Amino acid sequence: MFDKKRVSRLKWACRRGMLELDVLFMPFVDEAFDDLDESQQLIFERLLTCDDPDLFAWFMGHQKCDDPELAQMVEHILNRVKV
């Protein structure tokens, strides 16, 4: 479902205005995105449409994401970083 062009767009969308988000998203899309199943890839793509302040708050633990799918993806990315 994700051809090279779509993955290239995802990589571009991973380039955020905040270094804290860049260091999470860029390695994730380069190293772990292909290991996600199709539904998880779509959730990750949707996560990238969220506003930077919300993403920052979720990833830094200042706020809980109300969307269960997005919250699970945030947790997945954070768990990968901890390993």
Side-chain angles (χ1 to χ4, degrees):
M1 170 149 191
F2 280 79
D3 60 13
K4 287 184 180 185
K5 188 174 182 179
R6 193 167 178 186
V7 171
S8 291
R9 279 191 225 128
L10 271 181
K11 287 181 179 186
W12 182 255
C14 286
R15 297 172 53 110
R16 311 305 286 204
M18 296 181 164
L19 178 63
E20 296 86 351
L21 297 176
D22 288 348
V23 298
L24 289 170
F25 290 147
M26 294 302 293
F28 182 81
V29 79
D30 285 337
E31 301 165 9
F33 181 76
D34 290 338
D35 295 333
L36 300 175
D37 64 37
E38 187 175 328
S39 65
Q40 290 173 313
Q41 289 177 340
L42 292 170
I43 293 167
F44 180 74
E45 184 177 46
R46 190 162 56 94
L47 181 70
L48 294 178
T49 66
C50 296
D51 294 330
D52 284 357
D54 291 331
L55 290 169
F56 181 81
W58 300 338
F59 279 98
M60 298 303 130
H62 300 257
Q63 268 182 333
K64 178 105 170 98
C65 177
D66 293 333
D67 182 307
E69 290 180 334
L70 294 181
Q72 186 176 20
M73 183 56 64
V74 167
E75 194 64 33
H76 180 73
I77 293 169
L78 288 174
N79 286 336
R80 186 185 171 282
V81 171
K82 292 177 186 175
V83 173

